[in-house]
Amino acid sequence: MRRALIATGLLAMGYAVAGALTDPDVQPIGVVIFLVAVLVAHDGILLPAMIGVGALIGRLPDPAPVRIAAVTSAAVALVGVPLLIGSAGVPASRLLLVLGLVWAGALVVTLVRRNRKGSEGSSPVPDR
């Protein structure tokens, strides 16, 4: 299966490179500048920031709801921010509403889980 996926990826990249090389509108210098900028932004800024955030979340007493909310927020922002910048005209308040609902859900789950853990230890009936 791995070999099939690698072959499919190589074919797709080869097709893209061949298309870029034969397209008269593609400016190779611009493409190289873009790829270098993406590499620097990802490996120099985004990746260290995500590692730091992940390390901080891992120190929480119950990191699961926060981790899920963080991943969901990243996915929503990845889709929503280009719509804000582009011509779709999506109001920023809607993006903030969705993000607020995601984090409110994480807060509710965290509180419910904390209450369940607290009530398990205070049972009046002793364990046998």
Side-chain angles (χ1 to χ4, degrees):
M1 181 67 174
R2 177 183 280 173
R3 291 175 195 241
L5 290 173
I6 290 171
T8 302
L10 288 173
L11 284 172
M13 287 188 291
Y15 178 76
V17 169
L21 292 176
T22 58
D23 188 351
D25 293 332
V26 173
Q27 299 173 352
I29 299 297
V31 171
V32 170
I33 291 171
F34 172 75
L35 291 175
V36 168
V38 167
L39 179 68
V40 168
H42 180 272
D43 291 355
I45 300 170
L46 185 63
L47 186 62
M50 292 299 106
I51 290 172
V53 169
L56 290 175
I57 290 173
R59 292 179 179 222
L60 294 174
D62 187 16
V66 177
R67 188 173 289 139
I68 291 168
V71 169
T72 303
S73 296
V76 168
L78 184 68
V79 173
V81 169
L83 294 174
L84 289 175
I85 296 170
S87 61
V90 176
S93 60
R94 291 186 183 175
L95 177 62
L96 294 176
L97 174 66
V98 171
L99 293 174
L101 289 172
V102 167
W103 285 98
L107 177 63
V108 167
V109 169
T110 300
L111 293 175
V112 167
R113 289 171 68 151
R114 184 176 295 164
N115 284 339
R116 283 187 183 166
K117 284 182 183 177
S119 65
E120 288 174 1
S122 63
S123 175
V125 179
D127 292 334
R128 295 182 189 210

